Amino acid sequence: MLKEGPAPRRESKTERLAADLVVAGGGLAGTCCAITAARAGARVVLIQDRPVLGGNASSEVRLWVLGATAHGYNNNRWAREGGVVDEVLTENLWRNPEGNPVIFDTILLELASREPALTLLLNTVVHDLEKDGPDAIKAVRAFCSQNGTAYAVTAPLFCDATGDGTVGFLAGAAFRMGAESASEFGERFAPPKEYGELLGHSLYFYSRDTGRPVRFVPPGFALADITQIPRWRQFNTRDIGCRLWWIEWGGRLDTVHDTERIKWELWRVVYGVWHHIKNSGKFPDAANLTLEWVGQIPGKRESRRFEGPSMLTQGDLIERRRHDDAVAFGGWSIDLHPAEGVYSDRPPCDQWHAKGLYGIPYRCLFSRNIRNLFLGGRLISASHVAFGSTRVMATCAHAGQAAGIAAARCARDGLLPADLLAPERLIAFRRELLRTGQHVPGFALEDPDDLARTARIEASSRFVLGELPADGRWLKLDREWAQLVPVAAGPVPRATYHVRALKAAALRLRVRRPSRPDEHCPDEVLHERTIALAAGKEADVSVEPAARIETPCYLFYGLAGGAEVEVRTTERRVTGLLAVRHHNDQTPESDIGVEAFEFWAPIRRPGGRNLAVRLDPPADVFGPANVVNGVDRPTSGPNAWVAAPDDPAPKLTLTWAAPQTIRRIELFFDPDYDHPLESVLMGHPERVVPFMVKRWRVTDGAGRILAERDDWHQARAEVVLDSPAVTDRLVVELLESWGPAPKALFAVRAYA
């Protein structure tokens, strides 16, 4: 029994913690930052003010995770973010292809909880801090309402991933809120005042069919007049969750301090919408539907943005400028919304894409005036226009991972964030980042510690793209289709397709290439011809450009003939090969600083097929040397060793002239970086992508098994041996795949 008499006052129980890095904010950016830093050797405390991790991706908000893939809409091929965020999305596919947001919570919680160097404080709010002079933070103070405990957490380094920038604000870090003028950075897409300077919050709901009639009595605060919403006629019984992202409001208010007011207005809207669906009489199919869930906290888009030594702007995105300190990438559209949100009579968003991926500089990831503060998530150093793209969660997570590695290096070497800009340190930092699976466009991993780079590499077989067999269905050419073909420098190969015409028609064949070799936007026509097809006839048709290319890239071998012309497809799927179709155009009507171009994208699985094609000469770009080229996804080429389709158990052999001492081995498989892998609501037809190797084994020169895995489904496999292997040979055996695609491997690395 505990019994205390009266007291003048009492203090909360206080725990004092010390760490190398304190991460405030457990959204996807903060979570990936903390996990990445902990895996890199830092002692991390992750403070999250909610009961679960994930922020807008969690079951509390239920927004799908997206980034540069943009639902597969734009030209960013193989653009899904790497590292921990890809591990999360791939694991979610394995456990949760239905897109249950509660299961997604458990994946994030499990990943964080199993890191021994990471201390997780849930339901804990940072409310104050202690400075170490005018330009550094010494400690943060936080309180957990669930256990009545106050925390004082000291560290040499901090990362603010709170969204609103609580730590940066309290510390006095320079920040902005609202939109810059068009003249400040020369951003022609900067919004005028009448459009609004801030994006609002959104709040979602889910419904469920109970199998019997359900009555709904709206709360008194529900919106009574649904016609106040200009788009009210678009509400229906099918769209739920984040498909209703445009239930948004608050862009004219203070999106930090007016959040509760914004939430109540969004509740008014949501319950008013459901009242309309249930009780207006316009939706008889709603009779058995019940309101299963309504968000309790709104999903925030924008509030404070903090200033780093550099600020990302519209020009950086549209021109895809190269930054020597690039450590992450983005590729979502510049996506701005009218400030009135759901009450606006304007379109709910204005989205404009770049032709390819853009790099995110390290200088945008730490404060310019608080010397030990990293910036994570949507508050990184970017203008309002650039923020329209960088704000999405997979992009935030990818940049957060870079901050995590940076923090771990700083903690290890007693450095501050700005110290990593020194050229040699920056190279070492990015090298460590790339080792984790992070992709940075334009930068390959050059790792002097990787023993695989010094080995002779041989394979039991290799795939050579000479022919994709015509064993698939016929595909109507009601729009232009193209097979993306990776080619080496030299003469452009001749391509032959098998087509048929239901009526007499003209078939246009053309070959195009991108203006930048590592992008996938068909800018330049290399060859074009038109062929007359007779009605009811099948024929082989060829395109033979009299052209050379000087740099490896993907070429678009296109066909267009109308709905009466069909081309034969193939059932063969291969790592680094896609057929894409022209589905839309970007055509700005005024000079807003973006480019006009075509959008080309594949059909999602289980649909979508490669086109049956013969190449002369064959494209021999899938060889074993790719596993040490430092790029772990298709870019200007497939960057993978792909075995021959008829090789049942392909082997890759690494041989050294003298025995090597090997303690750690890394393998990188193909998780299909072209597939967006939305985390919730969409659902996926597979539990694992068909390009993934299911069962693999690594042996040494004496045939001893060093590692063996079954039911494998992740991109990156790391093997740490209990005792080092001393051998002059490693053999990687790809024993079984999840799908019919030839077995493939992006990288093999070996370390002492």
Side-chain angles (χ1 to χ4, degrees):
M1 175 181 178
L2 177 64
K3 184 176 181 180
E4 292 188 10
R9 68 184 306 271
R10 293 187 177 93
E11 299 290 338
S12 297
K13 175 186 175 182
T14 300
E15 288 192 17
R16 301 187 182 278
L17 305 175
D20 298 317
L21 171 69
V22 174
V23 179
L28 209 57
T31 299
C32 289
C33 174
I35 291 171
T36 302
R39 290 179 178 179
R43 294 175 304 136
V44 182
V45 173
L46 173 59
I47 304 173
Q48 163 70 328
D49 64 352
R50 306 302 306 167
V52 291
L53 297 171
N56 284 348
S58 75
S59 62
E60 291 192 307
V61 179
R62 306 192 180 195
L63 176 63
W64 45 41
V65 177
L66 274 176
T69 53
H71 287 302
Y73 180 87
N74 59 20
N75 294 336
N76 297 338
R77 302 277 63 80
W78 298 288
R80 197 172 72 243
E81 295 72 14
V84 174
V85 66
D86 181 67
E87 181 181 343
V88 168
L89 294 176
T90 304
E91 191 66 24
N92 189 61
L93 177 67
W94 173 253
R95 301 186 190 186
N96 185 31
E98 300 80 13
N100 183 333
V102 175
I103 302 302
F104 189 74
D105 286 348
T106 68
I107 292 169
L108 293 176
L109 289 167
E110 178 184 310
L111 284 177
S113 64
R114 72 185 186 196
E115 292 300 326
L118 196 162
T119 299
L120 176 60
L121 303 178
L122 294 174
N123 291 309
T124 304
V125 180
V126 173
H127 61 85
D128 200 1
L129 54 76
E130 183 179 347
K131 297 284 289 289
D132 185 11
D135 60 352
I137 304 168
K138 182 178 181 180
V140 296
R141 298 192 182 99
F143 183 76
C144 177
S145 61
Q146 298 300 298
N147 62 12
T149 300
Y151 295 91
V153 192
T154 60
L157 299 163
F158 297 81
C159 179
D160 189 337
T162 60
D164 286 342
T166 302
V167 174
F169 178 81
L170 293 173
F175 75 92
R176 298 177 176 218
M177 195 166 174
E180 291 80 8
S181 66
S183 61
E184 182 169 359
F185 298 116
E187 296 177 309
R188 296 196 290 276
F189 191 44
K193 294 289 185 181
E194 59 270 22
Y195 190 82
E197 295 190 9
L198 287 168
L199 281 71
H201 304 354
S202 281
L203 199 140
Y204 309 132
F205 66 88
Y206 276 51
S207 61
R208 178 173 60 88
D209 190 335
T210 66
R212 59 183 178 81
V214 176
R215 181 184 178 208
F216 176 69
V217 178
F221 56 80
L223 181 68
D225 181 8
I226 196 69
T227 64
Q228 292 182 43
I229 298 173
R231 302 178 72 202
W232 67 273
R233 290 183 178 87
Q234 296 187 24
F235 291 118
N236 57 71
T237 57
R238 301 179 304 278
D239 290 339
I240 60 173
C242 52
R243 294 186 188 278
L244 292 170
W245 56 266
W246 52 277
I247 297 182
E248 173 184 356
W249 191 71
R252 295 287 182 194
L253 303 181
D254 180 337
T255 52
V256 177
H257 299 103
D258 289 332
T259 290
E260 282 295 293
R261 176 184 170 189
I262 295 169
K263 177 191 72 178
W264 274 97
E265 185 61 29
L266 290 170
W267 272 346
R268 288 186 70 233
V269 171
V270 165
Y271 287 107
V273 168
W274 192 246
H275 175 47
H276 168 66
I277 289 173
K278 287 290 292 184
N279 299 327
S280 67
K282 297 179 183 296
F283 303 97
D285 57 336
N288 293 355
L289 296 182
T290 188
L291 192 57
E292 176 79 357
W293 172 87
V294 176
Q296 305 301 301
I297 60 171
K300 287 194 180 186
R301 287 182 176 85
E302 182 176 14
S303 52
R304 303 181 183 110
R305 294 171 286 108
F306 285 77
E307 296 182 0
S310 179
M311 184 169 288
L312 207 64
T313 67
Q314 177 181 345
D316 292 303
L317 276 57
I318 297 301
E319 298 172 23
R320 289 96 68 216
R321 294 170 181 163
R322 179 182 173 89
H323 300 281
D324 290 340
D325 63 333
V327 290
F329 70 83
W332 185 259
S333 64
I334 298 176
D335 182 5
L336 302 183
H337 300 186
E340 281 77 18
V342 72
Y343 293 121
S344 175
D345 57 5
R346 299 171 184 263
C349 67
D350 282 304
Q351 296 182 329
W352 299 98
H353 295 257
K355 283 187 175 181
L357 304 176
Y358 59 85
I360 297 176
Y362 174 58
R363 289 167 294 161
C364 296
L365 304 185
F366 60 93
S367 169
R368 70 173 175 85
N369 71 298
I370 302 297
R371 56 194 176 92
N372 62 341
L373 178 62
F374 288 98
L375 306 174
R378 60 181 168 87
L379 55 76
I380 68 169
S381 185
S383 71
H384 172 75
V385 173
F387 158 88
S389 174
T390 62
R391 65 185 176 83
V392 291
M393 284 187 285
T395 304
C396 290
H398 204 238
Q401 292 163 184
I405 290 291
R409 291 194 68 85
C410 287
R412 190 183 314 153
D413 299 334
L415 303 173
L416 292 170
D419 295 335
L420 292 184
L421 289 172
E424 290 303 315
R425 289 173 179 160
L426 181 61
I427 290 171
F429 160 36
R430 187 161 46 222
R431 180 187 303 136
E432 184 173 357
L433 185 60
L434 291 172
R435 284 173 177 169
T436 68
Q438 188 98 345
H439 178 62
V440 183
F443 293 90
L445 175 61
E446 298 179 3
D447 193 346
D449 297 328
D450 180 9
L451 299 174
R453 289 162 55 95
T454 65
R456 184 176 77 252
I457 302 176
E458 300 172 298
S460 59
S461 67
R462 66 200 292 171
F463 175 74
V464 177
L465 180 52
E467 181 177 11
L468 295 177
D471 56 2
R473 65 194 68 174
W474 290 96
L475 174 69
K476 288 185 181 298
L477 295 176
D478 51 350
R479 61 184 70 197
E480 187 172 5
W481 281 80
Q483 180 65 42
L484 282 177
V485 176
V487 296
V492 175
R494 174 183 181 179
T496 301
Y497 294 103
H498 191 65
V499 301
R500 70 181 181 187
L502 306 180
K503 295 181 180 178
L507 175 68
R508 183 183 67 187
L509 299 163
R510 57 178 175 174
V511 181
R512 296 197 281 176
R513 69 176 174 187
S515 55
R516 299 187 185 184
D518 60 346
E519 295 183 348
H520 307 97
C521 187
D523 296 315
E524 180 183 345
V525 177
L526 297 179
H527 179 76
E528 183 173 346
R529 65 180 297 212
T530 300
I531 299 172
L533 299 177
K537 299 292 185 181
E538 295 186 20
D540 286 343
V541 297
S542 297
V543 55
E544 188 170 5
R548 292 180 58 88
I549 58 170
E550 304 304 321
T551 305
C553 68
Y554 274 87
L555 297 181
F556 286 67
Y557 283 81
L559 307 93
E564 303 303 326
V565 180
E566 298 176 327
V567 62
R568 196 71 183 271
T569 64
T570 180
E571 292 297 320
R572 180 159 295 165
R573 301 186 188 272
V574 182
T575 288
L577 291 185
L578 283 174
V580 292
R581 61 175 179 168
H582 175 208
H583 68 87
N584 211 337
D585 294 335
Q586 177 165 290
T587 53
E589 296 178 356
S590 59
D591 184 9
I592 57 172
V594 300
E595 296 179 275
F597 58 92
E598 300 171 354
F599 289 118
W600 291 72
I603 299 292
R604 283 180 178 244
R605 291 192 308 275
R609 299 290 188 278
N610 287 307
L611 305 185
V613 64
R614 296 196 307 272
L615 289 185
D616 184 21
D620 188 5
V621 293
F622 297 88
N626 287 340
V627 300
V628 290
N629 74 0
V631 183
D632 303 332
R633 64 178 63 210
T635 53
S636 57
N639 296 316
W641 164 54
V642 180
D646 59 355
D647 188 343
K651 294 182 180 181
L652 190 75
T653 303
L654 288 73
T655 306
W656 291 271
Q660 307 291 311
T661 300
I662 298 172
R663 180 178 290 275
R664 185 162 57 91
I665 302 163
E666 294 178 0
L667 306 176
F668 280 80
F669 299 98
D670 183 5
D672 187 10
Y673 289 108
D674 199 69
H675 188 50
L677 285 187
E678 294 91 346
S679 53
V680 297
L681 197 63
M682 291 281 289
H684 302 283
E686 308 150 330
R687 290 181 61 237
V688 66
V689 300
F691 307 103
M692 180 62 64
V693 174
K694 176 182 180 182
R695 189 163 64 93
W696 52 269
R697 180 166 58 216
V698 181
T699 60
D700 66 8
R704 291 185 294 264
I705 296 175
L706 303 180
E708 190 170 20
R709 301 287 187 273
D710 198 357
D711 278 357
W712 191 255
H713 54 275
Q714 284 286 348
R716 180 175 182 261
E718 181 180 33
V719 176
V720 180
L721 303 176
D722 294 333
S723 58
V726 180
T727 182
D728 63 354
R729 185 178 305 163
L730 285 180
V731 179
V732 180
E733 301 176 72
L734 308 184
L735 302 173
E736 186 180 356
S737 288
W738 286 100
K743 301 173 183 69
L745 191 63
F746 280 119
V748 179
R749 298 172 195 152
Y751 299 94

